[in-house]
Amino acid sequence: MDRSVQQFKAEFFKALAHPMRIRILEVLSQKEQNVNELQTILGSEGSAVSQQLAVLRAKNLVNSVKEGTTVVYSLRDPLISDLLVVARQIFDNHLVESITLLEDMRKQN
């Protein structure tokens, strides 16, 4: 595999390596939002949301458009939404495996 693709993937996944950034992307998967709306939805301070949005912007994961005095954010690529769905499915698969393992262990005791 080409090193530039590997480097892109590494940087891309680094950008996803924070729970609030993932939550922001999940929210933006539903519809575009401004910082105040994101702050309300996430129940977090505006400065924390703005800081995470700056990382997402720097990594080109979100677009920002100024509308008057408000900046509205959206996903740069709709496939990010699909990636988050697949990540959830992987989580669910691991959870099912863990539950099955626990049930098997209880049966043995």
Side-chain angles (χ1 to χ4, degrees), residues 33-89:
Q33 306 279 346
N34 65 44
V35 174
N36 291 334
E37 292 167 331
L38 286 167
Q39 179 182 347
T40 300
I41 292 166
L42 299 172
S44 184
E45 294 179 11
S47 61
V49 173
S50 294
Q51 183 180 30
Q52 300 308 327
L53 283 167
V55 173
L56 294 171
R57 272 194 322 269
K59 298 298 183 181
N60 291 316
L61 296 180
V62 298
N63 288 324
S64 59
V65 176
K66 190 160 182 140
E67 294 180 358
T69 59
T70 304
V71 178
V72 177
Y73 294 90
S74 61
L75 292 183
R76 182 174 171 92
D77 188 327
L79 288 174
I80 292 169
S81 213
D82 296 340
L83 177 67
L84 295 172
V85 168
V86 170
R88 175 58 191 240
Q89 291 169 336

